[in-house]
Amino acid sequence: MSSQIHDYPIKPIPFTQVEITDSFWQPRIHTAATVTVPYDFQQCEDTGRITNFDKAAGALPGAHEGIFYNDSDVFKVVEGAAYALLVAPDAALEDYVDALIAKFAAAQEADGYLYTARTIDPGAVDERCGAARWSNLAVNHELYNVGHMYEAAVAWYEATGKRNFLEVALKNAGLIDAVFGEDKLRDVPGHQQIELGLARLYRCTGDTKYLRLAKFFLDERGQAERREIYGAYCQDHLPVTQQREVVGHAVRAGYQYAAMTDIAAMCQAEEYARAVLTLWENMVSKKMALTGGVGARHEGEAFGDAYELPSLTAYNETCAAQASIYWNQRLFLLTGESKFIDVLERTLYNGFLSGVGMDGRSFFYVNPLACDGEFRFNREAHMTRRPWYGTACCPTNVARLLPALAGYVYAQRDDQLYVNLYAAGSAQLQLPSGAIRIKQRTRYPWDGRIDIDIFAEAATDFTVKLRIPGYALGQPVPSDLYASLDAETGTVELLVAGEAVPLRMEAGYATIARRWQGTTRLTLRLPMSARRMIAHAAVADLRGQVALERGPLVYALESADNPGRVLELGLADASPVQAEHRADLLGGTTTLRGQALDAAGATVDFTAIPYCVWGHRGDGQMTTWLKRI
C-alpha cells in the first residue's frame, strides 16, 4: 500500500449543512427520524436484541436470543439515531442511546471482543458461530457486526461530540488489528462490512492502521494459495482486483465494492479503481433491474447470470439497493461523472424507496417488478410490507440512510459545486473562494422546473455543475440494458439570471463558471414526458414488453386502480400516456393515465402509480412491465 494516504477528490456537503423542505423527501426523512428509529428500537427491545447485551454483561440471566448477527441491527439503528438527532433533536432519544452505549461497553470483554452470541455462554454457542473466536468467519458475522458498530460509533461521535461509543469501537478495532494481518491470522469475513467501518474509523481518527486493516481484508479475498476460500457467494472466489463480474450475495457484493472504492480513493490504488469500474459496468449493463434493484435470485439473495432479470420472481433486496446507493455515491466522488448519480437516483427513488412504507414502520425485504396476487414473494411468505422480520437487516438499514439523505444533494471539489439531486431546500457551504448559500425551489420529481438561488456576499469566482439526468438526454440508463422508445424526450433549458444560455456539458453536468455576487438565480427545466422503456433483447423475461417512466420514477399498474388482471394488459406504442397529479392519492402523487388492451382485446383505461408507493392498499396484482403491442 502506498505510504501516502489520501481521500476522495470530491467531498459531499455534509447533511448537517443541508436542509430538505420539499413535499416528496422531507416527509420521508421526518418519518424515518421520528417514527422508524424509535420503532426499530422498540422492535429490538421486544425481540431480545438489546437484552442480549445485558446478558453478555452479566446483568441478566438467560441464553442468547435470536440470530447471531442480531447485534448488528441495534448498531444500525444507533447510527440512524445519530443522524435523526441532527434532523429532529430529541433529548429523550439521546439519553436512550447513551444508556444503550453503556450496555455495549458493559457487554464488551476485557480485550475488546464484542459478540453477544459467544460472550453470553461461550460453552453453548450456536454451532454456526464456531467453537472458538474467529473459527467460522465464513458464516458467523463476527466481523460484520462490529463493522456496523464502527460506523455507528463514528456517527454518534460526529452527531454529539461524545466519545463513549467511539471508545468501545476503538477498543474492539484494536483487538481485530492485533489478531488479523499479513503476519497474523489470515482470514476474511463471509459478509463484508467491517471494511467500510474501518475506513470510517480511519477518516475519523486519522490512524492509518484502520485503513491498512480494511485493505488487508480486501486483499486477502480469493487468495486460494494462502487460505481456504469461501467461494463466489461471498465474493471470495478471486482476488478482488481480478474480479470482473458481479456475483454472489448482492448485499455482500455491494458492501465489498463500496469498500474497494474507498481503497481506490484513499490509497490511490489504481488496480482497485479499474476493478470497481469494470464491476460497475457489468452490473449496469447486464444485472440491474429497471428500478435499480440488484440481486435477481431468491436463492442466495444473489445476482443471477447476465441478463437474468425476471419480474415476478425478482428478489432485489432493499439492503442491496442501499448498498448500491453507497457504492454509486463513492464512484461519483472518485470520478466526478454524473452517470453514477443517475444510477443512484434511479435506485433511490425506486428500488430502495419501495422497501419502506409511507408509515415508516412497514417494510419490503424483497422488491419484485410484478406481483400476480398468488406468489408470496416477500420474506417469510408474505405479499405485503411487514412490520418486522426475523432477519431484520432491511428495517434497520433504512433507518440509517433516510435521515442522512440530505448529504447526497451537493458535493464540492475545490471551487466547483456539484448539484446532484433536486429537492427543495437550502444549504450553506464554504468554498475556497468564500462562503455561499443555496436555495432550491422545485416540485421535482413531479415537475421538471428547478430554480436555484445562489448567494455570494462578495464577488466570488467559482463553478456550479448541475447534473443533467441521463433520461433528459435520451439515455435513461448509462448502458444498453434499457432504452427509451420515445425519440422526442423534450429539451433541457438553462437560464442564468433570467437569460437562456447554451448547455456546456462536462461529464454529464451543465457547467457554469462565472463571477457570482449577491443572489443569482439558475433555472433548469428538465423534460418530464412519460417514456416507454424496453429491455435489451438478451433479457428473455422482458422480450416483447414495455414499461413506463417519468422523470426519475418507474411506474407500476396496481389492481387497486385497474380492475382485472394487470399482468395481462398490453400497451400500443402509439397509445397516448398523460400525467395527472392526484393530491388525494398516496400522499399526493403524479399518475400516468392512458388506454391499454386487455386479454380479450378490449380497450380499457389504466392508471399507473410510482413503483415506490405500490403495496399500500392491500394484496393484489402489480406490474411494471406490460405487453408491447
Side-chain angles (χ1 to χ4, degrees):
M1 187 174 83
S2 169
S3 60
Q4 288 292 106
I5 305 298
H6 304 269
D7 206 337
Y8 286 94
I10 301 172
K11 305 293 190 297
I13 304 302
F15 77 97
T16 52
Q17 296 171 224
V18 181
E19 182 182 17
I20 292 177
T21 59
D22 73 342
S23 61
F24 187 93
W25 284 114
Q26 194 278 335
R28 293 284 196 153
I29 293 168
H30 182 76
T31 298
T34 62
V35 176
T36 307
V37 167
Y39 174 81
D40 281 358
F41 275 137
Q42 186 60 56
Q43 289 291 330
C44 287
E45 294 270 11
D46 294 345
T47 56
R49 284 167 165 81
I50 290 174
T51 54
N52 279 336
F53 291 98
D54 292 318
K55 293 173 184 177
L60 284 178
H64 182 270
E65 188 172 351
I67 310 168
F68 47 83
Y69 43 72
N70 279 1
D71 292 358
S72 69
D73 295 325
V74 186
F75 298 145
K76 281 184 281 186
V77 188
V78 169
E79 183 182 351
Y83 306 140
L85 287 176
L86 296 170
V87 172
D90 183 335
L93 177 62
E94 184 172 350
D95 289 344
Y96 177 84
V97 175
D98 276 330
L100 274 185
I101 293 168
K103 294 176 186 286
F104 303 156
Q108 188 170 38
E109 297 187 25
D111 63 355
Y113 187 74
L114 185 52
Y115 183 61
T116 65
R118 187 181 311 281
T119 300
I120 289 172
D121 187 352
V125 298
D126 184 317
E127 64 179 11
R128 294 170 294 178
C129 297
R133 292 181 182 183
W134 331 120
S135 61
N136 195 21
L137 291 179
V139 174
N140 67 13
H141 289 59
E142 217 166 358
L143 299 178
Y144 166 86
N145 288 355
V146 298
H148 278 299
M149 177 174 69
Y150 301 163
E151 293 217 66
V154 172
W156 186 251
Y157 171 68
E158 291 175 344
T160 67
K162 299 175 183 177
R163 293 184 60 91
N164 50 348
F165 198 8
L166 187 61
E167 294 299 335
V168 175
L170 293 176
K171 186 176 181 180
N172 178 268
L175 170 67
I176 304 300
D177 184 57
V179 170
F180 292 90
E182 293 181 3
D183 300 320
K184 307 166 192 174
L185 179 59
R186 304 192 77 134
D187 208 344
V188 301
H191 197 315
Q192 302 87 323
Q193 167 60 29
I194 192 172
E195 304 86 352
L196 291 168
L198 286 166
R200 196 158 178 184
L201 281 181
Y202 156 69
R203 185 179 278 118
C204 176
T205 66
D207 192 332
T208 58
K209 73 181 179 185
Y210 303 123
L211 189 60
R212 291 192 179 94
L213 185 56
K215 189 172 186 293
F216 163 79
F217 282 128
L218 291 168
D219 285 343
E220 198 66 16
R221 301 192 86 82
Q223 302 291 350
E225 75 283 0
R226 294 203 289 258
R227 43 169 285 273
E228 175 191 357
I229 60 174
Y230 304 139
Y233 172 78
C234 301
Q235 298 77 41
D236 191 27
H237 56 303
L238 289 169
V240 296
T241 56
Q242 296 176 27
Q243 294 181 22
R244 299 291 181 265
E245 180 183 5
V246 293
V247 296
H249 188 276
V251 182
R252 300 173 194 232
Y255 287 167
Q256 174 179 303
Y257 306 150
M260 289 172 64
T261 312
D262 280 348
I263 296 302
M266 296 178 183
C267 302
Q268 292 197 333
E270 289 296 327
E271 68 279 15
Y272 270 77
R274 287 192 296 270
V276 292
L277 291 171
T278 300
L279 288 162
W280 183 86
E281 290 286 350
N282 176 256
M283 184 181 80
V284 300
S285 298
K286 296 179 172 66
K287 299 193 179 187
M288 183 178 74
L290 187 67
T291 57
V294 291
R297 293 180 179 173
H298 279 248
E299 181 183 1
E301 302 177 321
F303 287 103
D305 294 331
Y307 302 111
E308 183 183 337
L309 295 166
S311 292
L312 184 66
T313 61
Y315 197 73
N316 296 340
E317 184 180 338
T318 301
C319 285
Q322 186 160 333
S324 177
I325 289 169
Y326 291 151
W327 183 27
N328 276 282
Q329 170 76 341
R330 285 166 166 80
L331 287 168
F332 158 73
L333 297 174
L334 182 68
T335 67
E337 295 184 49
S338 71
K339 63 184 181 181
F340 302 113
I341 302 297
D342 283 353
V343 175
L344 183 155
E345 180 181 57
R346 174 174 293 274
T347 308
L348 177 66
Y349 275 94
N350 301 289
F352 166 78
L353 192 56
S354 60
V356 56
M358 296 171 70
D359 61 0
R361 57 178 69 203
S362 58
F363 311 91
F364 274 141
Y365 198 109
V366 180
N367 298 276
L369 281 78
C371 174
D372 62 4
E374 297 177 8
F375 173 53
R376 295 185 173 274
F377 62 85
N378 201 17
R379 187 88 174 204
E380 300 173 3
H382 293 285
M383 284 191 294
T384 56
R385 291 180 182 86
R386 305 300 300 162
W388 197 248
Y389 300 91
T391 294
C393 52
C394 296
T396 54
N397 232 356
V398 300
R400 68 191 187 110
L401 176 58
L402 283 169
L405 184 61
Y408 292 78
V409 178
Y410 303 103
Q412 75 177 89
R413 179 176 190 171
D414 302 324
D415 270 328
Q416 299 177 80
L417 168 65
Y418 292 83
V419 183
N420 281 332
L421 298 178
Y422 297 112
S426 59
Q428 300 184 49
L429 62 144
Q430 183 72 39
L431 295 175
S433 52
I436 65 170
R437 298 197 301 271
I438 310 165
K439 188 174 184 66
Q440 277 198 54
R441 294 178 175 87
T442 182
R443 292 183 61 250
Y444 193 87
W446 311 130
D447 190 291
R449 175 170 176 153
I450 302 112
D451 291 318
I452 302 175
D453 290 339
I454 297 180
F455 176 79
E457 186 167 347
T460 308
D461 294 325
F462 59 90
T463 299
V464 175
K465 302 175 82 70
L466 305 178
R467 182 178 64 92
I468 307 301
Y471 68 75
L473 301 173
Q475 190 178 20
V477 175
S479 73
D480 63 356
L481 185 55
Y482 303 102
S484 173
L485 288 173
D486 303 287
E488 180 56 51
T489 60
T491 303
V492 178
E493 299 178 10
L494 175 62
L495 287 76
V496 178
E499 295 187 9
V501 298
L503 296 181
R504 186 164 71 87
M505 298 296 294
E506 295 179 1
Y509 289 86
T511 302
I512 307 146
R514 69 194 300 270
R515 175 160 293 179
W516 310 77
Q517 186 170 19
T519 299
T520 304
R521 172 161 293 185
L522 308 179
T523 297
L524 180 65
R525 295 192 181 105
L526 301 174
M528 278 286 174
S529 56
R531 300 184 301 277
R532 290 170 170 81
M533 300 291 293
I534 58 171
H536 191 287
V539 184
D541 284 277
L542 301 180
R543 287 179 194 145
Q545 297 190 48
V546 63
L548 294 172
E549 296 186 346
R550 182 176 183 270
L553 296 168
V554 175
Y555 276 73
L557 277 69
E558 199 172 11
S559 57
D561 305 302
N562 303 280
R565 295 184 59 80
V566 297
L567 273 70
E568 296 177 354
L569 295 179
L571 181 64
D573 288 356
S575 181
V577 177
Q578 301 295 328
E580 178 186 355
H581 194 75
R582 291 273 305 277
D584 62 330
L585 182 64
L586 296 166
T589 188
T590 295
T591 64
L592 296 180
R593 298 175 61 84
Q595 291 188 322
L597 296 181
D598 66 15
T603 299
V604 295
D605 294 333
F606 75 81
T607 298
I609 61 170
Y611 171 82
C612 61
V613 293
W614 90 274
H616 283 92
R617 295 172 289 176
D619 291 352
Q621 291 195 351
M622 178 278 295
T623 187
T624 55
W625 290 95
L626 302 168
K627 296 175 184 177
R628 182 185 176 194
I629 55 177

